[in-house]
Amino acid sequence: MNYFVIGMAGSGKSTLVRTLQQRLSNPFIINLDPAIQTLAYVPDVDIRDSVDYDQLTSTSKLGPNGAILTALNLFVTKLDQLANVIPDNRPIVFDSPGQIESFIWSASGEILLKTFPGAVLYVTDAKKAVNPSIFVSSMLYLLGVQQRLNITEIIVVMNKSDLLNSDLTDEFKQILSENEETGESELDLVQLFAKNSLVLTDSFKFQAENDYQGSFLSNVTLYLDRFWQKNKYCFVSCKKGTGIDTLINEMERVQKNTVVEEKAKDEKYAAEKKEKQAKEKEKFEQEFNDHRNMDEND
């Protein structure tokens, strides 16, 4: 069981990993962030033990993001060693770097995800998602990640849900009423954002800073909402530990589906390769026989 925790800096990824370390059954934790100074947990494998981030920035004269990318590339060259130390029958949790693009859009991140296929947890800030513009921006990045990784489902972890207010503004209450929806808190509102596009688009009317932004957000929602609505949304508070049991259940479900999908992909690839080889062999034999017949006729 492999789980990759990704998300924007400050979303609470490492805090979530610490919580999972406490709640999962004997997990094996791997830290992939070479630049982090202090971890909220003790990892079983730490990229910082094999790659010196400070040396990369000073000696190699790389910038922060370049050093992280280089560190990940160096770490991936030792995958055979990593595979040897990873135990069987234990959940494996990968904590990705704070700079999400260094992992998702790099060859090293792609290699890790293909070598250890599993569920992906996209961590975002639930409190910030109350702003419909930020919610849509986060969903756009989410869809970009899904397209890049070619996976059908990601678990969206709405962290810091304990910071959501228990009451809504009058504007949001009016929007819910107009759309025949019920809800009293910001938690209810963000949950509706994830499944009811009408509530989301109506919210743009008083949240958008100008006509362009309102039009842009409405069109994005109109054409792309059905894609982000397919994902499962788990509202958790790593600080208080709420929602973690539901999250773990979803992690196990998606992991099983991912294993099945990866097996189907491998079988399809093997079948296509076998078919291609058979056609090439048939073509070669046909050409050989044709040449032999020509030589006999001559």
Side-chain angles (χ1 to χ4, degrees), residues 133-153:
S133 173
I134 294 178
F135 178 87
V136 172
S137 297
S138 182
M139 292 302 101
L140 278 175
Y141 206 99
L142 166 68
L143 296 183
V145 169
Q146 281 191 262
Q147 184 276 330
R148 163 65 175 161
L149 303 181
N150 191 26
I151 52 180
T152 57
E153 184 176 13

Side-chain angles (χ1 to χ4, degrees), residues 4-14 16 33 94-104 120-125 138 141 145 154-155 157:
F4 287 85
V5 180
I6 66 173
M8 300 295 183
S11 60
K13 295 186 301 297
S14 294
L16 175 61
D33 192 344
F94 294 83
D95 186 11
S96 66
Q99 286 72 16
I100 184 174
E101 65 279 359
S102 299
F103 180 74
I104 293 300
V120 176
L121 283 65
Y122 178 79
V123 187
T124 188
D125 191 320
S138 182
Y141 206 99
V145 169
I154 286 181
I155 301 174
V157 183

Side-chain angles (χ1 to χ4, degrees), residues 1-4 113-114 116-121 149-155 250-266:
M1 295 181 288
N2 303 317
Y3 305 106
F4 287 85
L113 285 158
K114 287 186 176 180
F116 305 99
V120 176
L121 283 65
L149 303 181
N150 191 26
I151 52 180
T152 57
E153 184 176 13
I154 286 181
I155 301 174
E250 283 301 315
M251 290 167 59
E252 294 174 349
R253 180 188 65 80
V254 174
Q255 165 66 16
K256 291 178 182 177
N257 291 344
T258 301
V259 171
V260 172
E261 289 178 3
E262 288 299 321
K263 183 179 179 180
K265 288 179 183 178
D266 291 341

Side-chain angles (χ1 to χ4, degrees), residues 11 29 34 40 53 65-66 69 111 130 175 223 238 249 254 261 270:
S11 60
I29 311 297
Y53 172 80
N65 290 334
L69 184 59
I111 291 171
V130 174
I175 289 172
Y223 290 104
C238 294
N249 289 336
V254 174
E261 289 178 3

Side-chain angles (χ1 to χ4, degrees), residues 186-199:
E186 289 183 341
L187 174 60
D188 297 329
L189 180 68
V190 180
Q191 288 176 331
L192 287 171
F193 280 172
K195 65 181 183 181
N196 189 329
S197 300
L198 292 177
V199 172

Side-chain angles (χ1 to χ4, degrees), residues 229-245:
Q229 288 174 359
K230 293 180 180 179
N231 293 304
K232 176 66 178 182
Y233 293 78
C234 293
F235 289 79
V236 307
S237 169
C238 294
K239 182 178 180 180
K240 294 188 176 181
T242 56
I244 300 300
D245 289 339

Side-chain angles (χ1 to χ4, degrees), residues 79-226:
L79 274 189
D80 55 335
Q81 300 177 29
L82 179 63
N84 289 331
V85 300
I86 289 181
D88 296 327
N89 301 321
R90 287 177 63 182
I92 315 300
V93 180
F94 294 83
D95 186 11
S96 66
Q99 286 72 16
I100 184 174
E101 65 279 359
S102 299
F103 180 74
I104 293 300
W105 306 102
S106 67
S108 53
E110 184 177 4
I111 291 171
L112 281 166
L113 285 158
K114 287 186 176 180
T115 306
F116 305 99
V120 176
L121 283 65
Y122 178 79
V123 187
T124 188
D125 191 320
K127 180 62 178 177
K128 292 180 179 179
V130 174
N131 184 318
S133 173
I134 294 178
F135 178 87
V136 172
S137 297
S138 182
M139 292 302 101
L140 278 175
Y141 206 99
L142 166 68
L143 296 183
V145 169
Q146 281 191 262
Q147 184 276 330
R148 163 65 175 161
L149 303 181
N150 191 26
I151 52 180
T152 57
E153 184 176 13
I154 286 181
I155 301 174
V156 183
V157 183
M158 288 285 184
N159 193 21
K160 306 181 184 180
S161 61
D162 56 298
L163 300 180
L164 295 171
N165 294 331
S166 58
D167 194 18
L168 289 174
T169 63
D170 292 338
E171 290 89 349
F172 280 129
K173 288 181 180 179
Q174 181 180 350
I175 289 172
L176 296 188
S177 176
E178 291 174 351
N179 286 280
E180 299 180 350
E181 292 282 4
T182 58
E184 297 295 333
S185 66
E186 289 183 341
L187 174 60
D188 297 329
L189 180 68
V190 180
Q191 288 176 331
L192 287 171
F193 280 172
K195 65 181 183 181
N196 189 329
S197 300
L198 292 177
V199 172
L200 189 57
T201 52
D202 284 351
S203 300
F204 300 149
K205 296 176 182 179
F206 70 91
Q207 287 286 321
E209 296 181 1
N210 51 57
D211 292 340
Y212 169 79
Q213 186 184 47
S215 176
F216 174 79
L217 295 173
S218 295
N219 279 279
V220 166
T221 303
L222 175 65
Y223 290 104
L224 299 178
D225 61 340
R226 63 185 183 277

